[in-house]
Amino acid sequence: LPELGSYFENIKVGWIIASLPILFVTFMLFAYGWSLILKNMHAQFSLLKIIQLWAKAQLGKYIPGLGIHFVARLELSASEGITRRTAFLSTVIEMSLLLVTAGIVALVALTNVTGSKSVAVFIDDISADYGGLYIAVLTIGFLIAILFINPIPVRWIGEKIGGVDTTKFTYKWLIWLIAFNTMRWIVMGVGFFMLAKSVYPIGYAEMPFVMGAFTLSWAIGLLVVFSPGGIGVREAILVVLMEQVMPTGAAVALAALGRVWWVLGELFVLFFSTTALSFIKMNSLQSKKTNNQ
């Protein structure tokens, strides 16, 4: 605890402030990513309202209980004229895309493209002790995730549940969504690297590994459904990975700070969308009053 406290006391605030614009932009892109999927299934909706809906539903994942986040999204979608079936399938596709692309970023990072010595030692140890299991788990995970974003099974599911238009969900569109989500993770990973530098003077050679550790811990936290918002699980995985490139105390401090950082991003999307919608509504009312006069 004294070691942990020393890292919090010596946090470089400048790096945190520099990371916030990246955090806010990427979280807006998270919400926009869901709207891109919905666009192919439900043409008419207010983008700002969908972004607000996404942000509100996100907060539901911190409520204990399985599926609160998904139920909240289905019910909020229904209030905006989007059928629960459409919201359900679009959410399944969104989550699958996020998992696949987070895995892509993590795998590229673990190839140690920058030649970091500490990362090389970690990869060698993992390969020697858990190589077979690691490959098997990743393969199974990718196959399951890809199944849910492949246009053929997506259309099949759409037909089975009924009332969902999946005709526009093509392979071309899928490739675009994968590219969009991968770039989004990379940009957010850069922001997280800046957050890591606020805790410990980590070298730029470790930057890809930090990005991969961040996305991999997020993916595992999502898959462990009994943990609300992946709390505890995500932080534990992040500490195990990050202590390969920084002291354990710094890794723990970063994990705690990272959770606050993540929640700030979610709250920003909700605040921005709610404020923008209120501003538009106020302007609309003023315009009507002016026209009536």
Side-chain angles (χ1 to χ4, degrees):
L1 287 177
E3 181 186 3
L4 183 61
S6 69
Y7 284 112
F8 280 120
E9 290 172 3
N10 295 300
I11 282 177
K12 305 297 187 295
V13 179
W15 279 112
I16 295 178
I17 293 173
S19 74
L20 291 179
I22 296 176
L23 172 71
F24 296 153
V25 169
T26 48
F27 259 98
M28 289 296 293
L29 291 175
F30 267 109
Y32 180 66
W34 182 45
S35 75
L36 286 176
I37 299 169
L38 274 177
K39 187 178 179 180
N40 274 341
M41 299 179 179
H42 186 89
Q44 300 297 322
F45 58 78
S46 163
L47 178 58
L48 271 176
K49 196 66 182 177
I50 288 299
I51 290 175
Q52 183 192 48
L53 188 156
W54 180 92
K56 285 181 177 179
Q58 279 294 108
L59 299 180
K61 68 186 181 184
Y62 296 108
I63 301 173
L66 298 179
I68 301 298
H69 161 237
F70 296 102
V71 173
R73 186 179 286 193
L74 298 186
E75 295 305 315
L76 289 168
S77 298
S79 69
E80 294 301 314
I82 300 171
T83 66
R84 293 177 177 83
R85 295 174 180 179
T86 298
F88 168 77
L89 186 55
S90 64
T91 300
V92 169
I93 295 170
E94 178 202 19
M95 292 294 104
S96 299
L97 275 166
L98 288 174
L99 283 170
V100 168
T101 51
I104 290 172
V105 173
L107 283 175
V108 171
L110 289 173
T111 59
N112 197 22
V113 291
T114 55
S116 166
K117 293 181 179 179
S118 56
V119 176
V121 171
F122 172 67
I123 293 174
D124 288 343
D125 291 342
I126 288 292
S127 300
D129 298 334
Y130 307 104
L133 178 63
Y134 178 73
I135 293 172
V137 171
L138 282 178
T139 302
I140 294 171
F142 266 92
L143 287 175
I144 293 173
I146 289 172
L147 177 66
F148 286 109
I149 60 174
N150 192 300
I152 294 176
V154 164
R155 290 173 188 169
W156 181 82
I157 295 172
E159 290 176 1
K160 287 297 180 181
I161 64 178
V164 183
D165 182 11
T166 57
T167 55
K168 296 180 181 178
F169 199 79
T170 62
Y171 282 100
K172 182 179 179 180
W173 187 239
L174 172 61
I175 292 171
W176 154 243
L177 288 174
I178 290 175
F180 173 81
N181 282 280
T182 301
M183 288 305 301
R184 183 171 58 181
W185 277 123
I186 291 172
V187 174
M188 195 170 201
V190 171
F192 185 76
F193 176 76
M194 296 167 77
L195 186 72
K197 285 189 75 67
S198 74
V199 177
Y200 185 80
I202 191 170
Y204 288 97
E206 276 73 43
M207 185 175 182
F209 180 78
V210 173
M211 295 164 64
F214 172 70
T215 58
L216 187 59
S217 64
W218 177 90
I220 295 173
L222 177 69
L223 292 172
V224 182
V225 294
F226 59 80
S227 174
I231 293 177
V233 176
R234 186 183 302 171
E235 284 74 19
I237 298 297
L238 190 60
V239 169
V240 170
L241 293 171
M242 290 303 300
E243 66 181 356
Q244 309 304 318
V245 294
M246 61 172 58
T248 301
V252 174
L254 175 61
L257 189 61
R259 174 61 68 174
V260 176
W261 190 71
W262 183 274
V263 173
L264 277 176
E266 293 174 324
L267 292 175
F268 171 79
V269 176
L270 182 58
F271 172 78
F272 174 84
S273 56
T274 301
T275 302
L277 285 168
S278 299
F279 182 75
I280 292 171
K281 184 177 180 180
M282 183 177 65
N283 280 351
S284 177
L285 290 173
Q286 288 180 346
S287 297
K288 286 180 179 179
K289 288 181 181 179
T290 302
N291 291 334
N292 290 335
Q293 290 175 354

